[in-house]
Amino acid sequence: MRADVIVVGAGASGLACARRLHREGLTVVVHEARDRVGGRIHTFHPADGGPPLELGAQVVHGARNPVHALVGADRMITVPRRITARIVQDGGNQDMGVLSHGRRPPWLLEAGLHRDPGPEGRSAGAWLRAHGSARLEERAAKEWFRQSWAAEPDELSARGVAGAHRGDTAVGEGEFAVRGGFDRLALLLAQGLRISLGDPVQEIRCLPGRVEAGTVRGTTSACAAVITVPPPVLAQGRLRVIGPPSAVVDAKIAAAARMPLGDGYCTVVTLTREAPDDVITFDVDGGGGFVRCSAGRPEVLFVAKAGAADALRATVRSAPALSSLLETVMPWTAGARVVGLTAADWGRDPWTTGAFTAPRTGCEDAVRQWSAPVDDTLFFAGEATVTGSRLPWVQGALASGERAAEELLKVLANR
């Protein structure tokens, strides 16, 4: 198979890149390991036609997010603010307002970090301690950071967190959902593109003036390739790059090895009872992450990262343990039976390896090395390439795909 450009991965960044190149008149082939497009956009559609639930990217952040223009304003829904907010702390279910009683709540502490992250090399955990956080305040804040960034606070760069937020101020305020599910964005981006699903690229060979992608189905030849897979896919050898000088490849692999994704596990639990109210629960104890339910619906959605992801992964294997956790985070579930469970295990997914790439202390140079093109032939996109400069959400992935397309177009124009 021949093309002008090969794009490896049909997540938001790969689709955005391929779409831009296709609009410029180039022949693009997208190879995707999964049997669907979207990558870490993954929507659960209840069998009864009820409102969709997101097992990957959760919401569209900001009223000026490019997603609004891509899917159309009529397809965007404002996420309601009127929701009962709870926490689980020391096994007890309480109003989230207790986090503000005699202490600073986690979201205000993180806002303070955004304004003044401190010297280079300081971790978010060190920032908390330097600003007088201790005991219950520090405990809640650390779990907040884990669930926001899929990383341990003592490994998380305070400057990287602040830089990512500063880099995304242009998207504005507010939270939104895509009517009918976030996966509509992926389907719209994929329209008109040549996408080979269930066809992972195992090897990229760089030859004089062209590249070849070896997949489970054969070989695709092109002038250039854009790699959008998470760094660990390369570091762990699932994707091999052959052809550039070995020092260049070794540097890429070394950079990728320093950019692990934080663990992530999401699951929708369907019950024999419907929720009486819209509720979100933050599990400070680290067993469930953020948990949501909607009034009149039988589903409970768990979105867990870092240590909570592994705790939840273990919990769902035991019916009694799952029932106990449900009753703790959502007391209305007491006595209800579990009749369905759909999970997205991002941490165990070989083509994802986690939730997303957090800005870790001392890894700024690794991000630059991972993002840099190779020999005007290989280009890189994906949320990992904007680590520390943009938030690791869909707008960052889209922007990285557009940026890689621009880099490639400039090279092709000069050939």
Side-chain angles (χ1 to χ4, degrees):
M1 184 161 38
R2 294 191 62 84
D4 293 320
V5 181
I6 298 162
V7 174
V8 184
S13 60
L15 293 174
C17 181
R19 182 172 180 263
R20 173 63 193 282
L21 296 171
H22 177 70
R23 288 188 168 185
E24 293 294 328
L26 296 176
T27 303
V28 184
V29 174
V30 183
H31 290 283
E32 168 55 47
R34 299 180 181 85
D35 60 0
R36 61 174 181 82
V37 298
R40 279 164 278 177
I41 295 174
H42 188 24
T43 305
F44 170 80
H45 294 275
D48 65 357
L53 295 164
E54 303 300 340
L55 288 166
Q58 293 294 301
V59 297
V60 176
H61 297 270
R64 296 187 296 277
N65 194 300
V67 174
H68 292 266
L70 287 168
V71 304
D74 60 324
R75 291 183 179 272
M76 301 304 297
I77 308 168
T78 302
V79 174
R81 291 291 185 180
R82 298 182 65 181
I83 187 170
T84 301
R86 310 285 297 177
I87 68 164
V88 169
Q89 186 173 265
D90 296 324
N93 191 300
Q94 307 170 69
D95 187 281
M96 193 175 282
V98 303
L99 293 178
S100 302
H101 293 171
R103 48 181 158 149
R104 295 165 293 177
W107 48 91
L108 287 186
L109 285 165
E110 186 172 6
L113 182 151
H114 297 167
R115 291 190 297 271
D116 179 19
E120 186 174 350
R122 175 177 282 180
S123 70
W127 187 94
L128 288 169
R129 291 187 290 273
H131 286 75
S133 295
R135 298 183 295 279
L136 289 176
E137 184 179 86
E138 182 184 25
R139 179 183 164 196
K142 283 189 169 183
E143 189 60 24
W144 182 271
F145 275 105
R146 291 184 190 107
Q147 296 314 309
S148 298
W149 290 95
E152 285 298 318
D154 285 334
E155 300 175 356
L156 189 61
S157 166
R159 279 200 171 189
V161 169
H165 276 276
R166 284 195 301 270
D168 251 20
T169 55
V171 301
E173 301 295 327
E175 293 186 346
F176 303 84
V178 179
R179 190 185 305 276
F182 220 145
D183 57 355
R184 282 181 177 257
L185 171 64
L187 294 173
L188 286 167
L189 288 172
Q191 284 182 357
L193 297 179
R194 188 177 179 182
I195 302 174
S196 184
L197 296 174
D199 192 20
V201 175
Q202 300 169 319
E203 185 176 275
I204 294 282
R205 295 181 290 276
C206 298
L207 305 168
R210 63 190 177 93
V211 296
E212 290 183 350
T215 79
V216 295
R217 295 178 188 162
T219 300
T220 302
S221 179
C223 297
V226 181
I227 295 173
T228 73
V229 299
V233 174
L234 189 71
Q236 295 169 8
R238 291 189 182 88
L239 172 61
R240 300 181 300 277
V241 176
I242 301 170
S246 59
V248 174
V249 175
D250 290 346
K252 280 288 182 188
I253 293 173
R258 296 172 60 199
M259 298 173 64
L261 279 69
D263 198 5
Y265 185 92
C266 302
T267 187
V268 174
V269 182
T270 305
L271 303 164
T272 54
R273 183 176 302 161
E274 296 176 350
D277 198 2
D278 295 338
V279 180
I280 182 170
T281 301
F282 168 41
D283 189 349
V284 176
D285 290 348
F290 281 98
V291 192
R292 297 173 183 263
C293 67
S294 298
R297 294 301 306 171
E299 300 95 3
V300 175
L301 171 65
F302 288 84
V303 179
K305 306 183 190 78
D310 202 40
L312 182 60
R313 188 181 287 119
T315 295
V316 299
R317 299 192 192 108
S318 164
L322 178 57
S323 294
S324 176
L325 177 61
L326 281 164
E327 188 172 346
T328 299
V329 296
M330 296 287 175
W332 63 266
T333 66
R337 289 186 299 106
V338 174
V339 294
L341 192 150
T342 301
D345 192 342
W346 300 110
R348 302 282 175 87
D349 184 326
W351 302 110
T352 303
T353 73
F356 46 73
T357 312
R360 298 175 185 269
T361 55
C363 287
E364 295 83 359
D365 60 326
V367 177
R368 288 190 292 270
Q369 289 171 355
W370 173 251
S371 308
V374 175
D375 292 343
D376 288 342
T377 302
L378 295 183
F379 300 82
F380 293 79
E383 55 84 15
T385 66
V386 300
T387 300
S389 61
R390 296 286 302 264
L391 291 166
W393 299 333
V394 69
Q395 65 267 27
L398 293 170
S400 77
E402 291 277 354
R403 185 258 310 148
E406 286 287 345
E407 292 174 341
L408 195 157
L409 287 168
K410 288 179 181 178
V411 168
L412 293 181
N414 293 326
R415 281 187 179 176

